Amino acid sequence: MDEEKFDAIVVGAGPAGSAAALTMARKGLSVVLIERGEYPGAKNVMGGVLYRKMLETLVPNFWEEAPLERPVVEQRMALLSERSAVTAGFKDPALGEPPYNAFTVLRANFDRWFAGKAEEAGAFLLPGMPIEDVVRKDGKVVGVQAFDGSELYADVVVVADGVNSLLAKKMGLRGELRPSEVALAVKQVISLPKETVEQRFNIQDGQGVVMELMGAATGGMVGQAFLYTNRESLSIGVGCLLSEFVKTKKTPYDLLEDLKQHPFVAPLIEGGVAEEYTAHLIPEGGYDTVPQVYGDGFLLAGDAAKFVNVLHREGSNLAMESGRLAGETVAFAKERGDFSAATLRRYREHLDAGFVLRDLHQYRGVPGFMEHNPQFFNFYPQILNEVARDMLTVDGVPKREKERSALRRVLRQRPALRIARDLYGFWRAVR
Amino acid sequence: MKRETLEEKLYTVKFKADTESHLVVKEAKNCVECGNAHGRPCLTFCPANVYEWEGVEEGLAVRYEGCLECGACRIGCPYDNIEWRYPKGALGLTYRIG
């Protein structure tokens, strides 16, 4: 066959795919970056936190040119009851200055920019091209087949087609995910004048806030809601395990509307204009759902490989890091002239040695723990609000009596032994 | 902000519908059985309300034109009864903001 052959084909122009394409193109490899959407980002969503470190490795000083919303200077956590909230947070204005820690982003813009960096480096972007299968020869992956039957060939295929990864499924790398191994999240971008965003969140120009909300924010389901500040808008969303939606028959959009009406949230979004409604899955099964990530002629990166750290809501950074490592591994394989699993396994070794799989390994117990301990998402936020209300209400009752009645209130609903077991279980899951 | 309907939400999303559905119900009888056994969860968990039950005769209506391509039905269907593909070419949804 004298078809044109590339050094590498990357399927999916999200953070993982573009990082891989950029890395390989810079090393002089011929790379085609394939995207199923009209443009990179057209099908992509996240809440919106992008961490600085992993992107900086690929594009130094990227904050001077990338379409970012706001540097995150404050993280807040709110545990909601039906109408009240117990909150905690951390704010440091220094995080709003270089080198920063994280930014809020909107993916349609950001992904286009990032894929553009790969193009600048020499990768060839091919949008509007859903890939249906890989092409194999003698058991090795040697290319991909598009929706229209056309084929493209390369020494290596980097599979970065996201959480649903139909390609990984077609390749038989894993069985179907269970509903308890993915979260379904819906989000809405709500525009507000820049000054209003800054006043309501007590920030200045060039500063941003991210807020995670639990408890009544998810209707008590295992999951989390969020409210992030963009430049002239807010991103508000809620995500719960798909198994919770299956069980409760709650609808994601009603859940989002309930959140928007909550007394703790409503004043923050008041007067805003709803811009765009989005939905996406998040692979939350953790370490034990990571499929085979390398083989003869292929590598898997990003959400396709289930690289998401649920506890710290990190994903795009793991995607970029895995994409970069995949790209470096392919460049190494090209030097060696060997694209077999024996050489490509180096990718997995780098992942194992770095933060991607070390973090996932450390938290491997978290997904199962959350699924089986819904009290952290309903009972505890609720009781914390009740206790806080009692303790902070000045009504002439001596404090000692308040303490006793608070303790009684807690223990009546959950015996001390079970609370101890909950805390021990959580500690076990995260250590 | 006043409570919004799903229709108002979907109105903010840009769709370029394919001429044929990228979502196909594999076996109609599974959906009938699912009603009693599982309460047809796809009718509620789908964030775009793509699925509607039209009775034993008609079966499950699939309004694929407004699909947000999240993949929830692919994984959440108790019978693995949805054949889920990507819309052809650059068709389907296009997020302007993401």
Side-chain angles (χ1 to χ4, degrees), chain A residues 329-375:
Chain A
T329 304
V330 174
F332 171 76
K334 183 170 166 68
E335 259 172 52
R336 262 201 190 180
D338 173 36
F339 302 93
S340 70
T343 297
L344 296 181
R345 66 173 297 172
R346 194 182 155 95
Y347 171 57
R348 170 80 199 205
E349 288 162 8
H350 281 296
L351 289 168
D352 278 324
F355 80 96
V356 175
L357 283 179
R358 282 183 63 183
D359 282 355
L360 288 195
H361 188 264
Q362 178 183 346
Y363 298 138
R364 74 188 298 175
V366 170
F369 179 78
M370 292 194 318
E371 181 190 349
H372 296 113
N373 291 275
Q375 65 273 20

Side-chain angles (χ1 to χ4, degrees), chain A residues 271-331:
Chain A
V273 178
E275 295 291 342
E276 192 176 55
Y277 173 64
T278 53
H280 216 272
L281 292 181
I282 308 166
E284 297 205 338
Y287 191 85
D288 293 321
T289 58
V290 172
Q292 176 77 20
V293 295
Y294 68 92
D296 289 326
F298 73 88
L299 295 169
L300 254 68
D303 276 8
K306 314 295 169 249
F307 293 153
V308 165
N309 179 342
V310 180
L311 197 63
H312 293 258
R313 53 117 167 79
E314 293 177 26
S316 56
N317 55 327
L318 280 70
M320 285 182 191
E321 180 77 355
S322 63
R324 183 178 68 80
L325 293 173
E328 285 180 356
T329 304
V330 174

Side-chain angles (χ1 to χ4, degrees), chain A residues 12-13 33-43 125-131 146-148 150, chain B residues 16 86-94:
Chain A
L33 176 59
I34 304 179
E35 165 58 41
R36 76 181 175 96
E38 190 180 324
Y39 47 77
K43 309 279 186 182
L125 177 69
L126 203 56
M129 185 68 69
I131 296 300
F147 73 107
D148 57 3
S150 62
Chain B
K16 233 189 281 176
Y86 297 129
K88 292 193 291 291
L91 298 175
L93 84 98
T94 294

Side-chain angles (χ1 to χ4, degrees), chain A residues 19-294:
Chain A
L22 175 60
T23 303
M24 293 187 286
R26 280 206 186 129
K27 288 182 182 284
L29 276 66
S30 63
V31 181
V32 58
L33 176 59
I34 304 179
E35 165 58 41
R36 76 181 175 96
E38 190 180 324
Y39 47 77
K43 309 279 186 182
N44 302 350
V45 186
M46 68 181 190
V49 181
L50 173 85
Y51 296 91
R52 177 260 310 165
K53 179 71 185 169
M54 294 76 211
L55 179 53
E56 187 189 23
T57 308
L58 292 159
V59 186
N61 296 345
F62 68 87
W63 50 84
E64 290 167 8
E65 55 166 308
L68 307 167
E69 293 298 318
R70 288 175 181 270
V72 177
V73 299
E74 183 176 358
Q75 304 206 21
R76 298 182 193 164
M77 167 64 83
L79 306 175
L80 303 190
S81 74
E82 281 312 314
R83 54 164 206 266
S84 63
V86 173
T87 63
F90 173 72
K91 181 174 186 176
D92 183 352
L95 296 172
E97 293 153 24
Y100 307 102
N101 176 51
F103 301 87
T104 52
V105 299
L106 295 166
R107 290 283 299 275
N109 274 334
F110 177 81
D111 286 17
R112 240 181 305 191
W113 170 82
F114 193 33
K117 297 307 286 183
E119 278 188 281
E120 270 174 39
F124 179 63
L125 177 69
L126 203 56
M129 185 68 69
I131 296 300
E132 300 238 309
D133 205 349
V134 292
V135 178
R136 287 180 201 266
K137 195 182 164 192
D138 305 328
K140 289 182 185 152
V141 172
V142 295
V144 296
Q145 188 189 65
F147 73 107
D148 57 3
S150 62
E151 295 184 348
L152 280 173
Y153 305 96
D155 287 324
V156 179
V157 174
V158 177
V159 178
D161 57 345
V163 55
N164 281 300
S165 193
L166 296 191
L167 213 44
K169 193 184 172 194
K170 222 28 172 306
M171 293 164 77
L173 297 178
R174 59 167 174 80
E176 195 54 272
L177 288 167
R178 291 184 299 125
S180 59
E181 293 168 348
V182 290
L184 169 60
V186 292
K187 177 181 110 166
Q188 207 168 25
V189 171
I190 295 173
S191 65
L192 279 168
K194 179 173 174 292
E195 296 71 31
T196 309
V197 171
E198 288 165 3
Q199 279 161 13
R200 286 185 187 173
F201 287 83
N202 188 28
I203 46 177
Q204 296 170 353
D205 184 38
Q207 297 185 330
V209 175
V210 295
M211 193 190 300
E212 318 295 330
L213 308 106
M214 292 172 68
T218 60
M221 293 193 285
V222 176
Q224 206 173 56
F226 58 88
L227 179 57
Y228 299 159
T229 58
N230 302 317
R231 229 170 339 183
E232 294 181 287
S233 65
L234 303 173
S235 291
I236 184 167
V238 55
C240 301
L241 294 182
L242 180 55
S243 51
E244 294 279 84
F245 284 112
V246 169
K247 192 170 66 190
T248 62
K249 304 285 190 291
K250 285 181 197 278
T251 68
Y253 36 92
D254 285 330
L255 200 60
L256 179 58
E257 285 308 306
D258 291 346
L259 176 66
K260 286 162 67 182
Q261 301 302 322
H262 192 283
F264 184 76
V265 174
L268 295 170
I269 62 171
E270 184 52 42
V273 178
E275 295 291 342
E276 192 176 55
Y277 173 64
T278 53
H280 216 272
L281 292 181
I282 308 166
E284 297 205 338
Y287 191 85
D288 293 321
T289 58
V290 172
Q292 176 77 20
V293 295
Y294 68 92

Side-chain angles (χ1 to χ4, degrees), chain B:
Chain B
M1 291 174 74
K2 79 171 191 24
R3 236 185 140 83
E4 263 177 20
T5 63
L6 176 63
E7 286 65 36
E8 288 171 300
K9 283 189 176 60
L10 291 175
Y11 191 69
T12 64
V13 186
K14 183 181 160 194
F15 294 103
K16 233 189 281 176
D18 200 341
T19 48
E20 58 177 340
S21 179
H22 62 288
L23 308 167
V24 178
V25 177
K26 293 180 195 167
E27 294 277 350
K29 67 170 174 17
N30 285 339
C31 300
V32 176
E33 196 181 309
C34 184
N36 292 323
H38 303 278
R40 294 189 196 99
C42 65
L43 303 183
T44 46
F45 69 61
C46 170
N49 196 18
V50 162
Y51 300 100
E52 190 163 19
W53 181 243
E54 304 207 308
V56 178
E57 296 283 299
E58 305 284 321
L60 198 62
V62 183
R63 295 179 294 226
Y64 71 94
E65 300 90 342
C67 170
L68 293 168
E69 298 169 36
C70 71
C73 58
R74 205 172 64 81
I75 296 170
C77 173
Y79 294 82
D80 186 20
N81 201 31
I82 308 287
E83 191 187 309
W84 197 94
R85 307 168 125 224
Y86 297 129
K88 292 193 291 291
L91 298 175
L93 84 98
T94 294
Y95 285 135
R96 296 163 296 112
I97 302 174

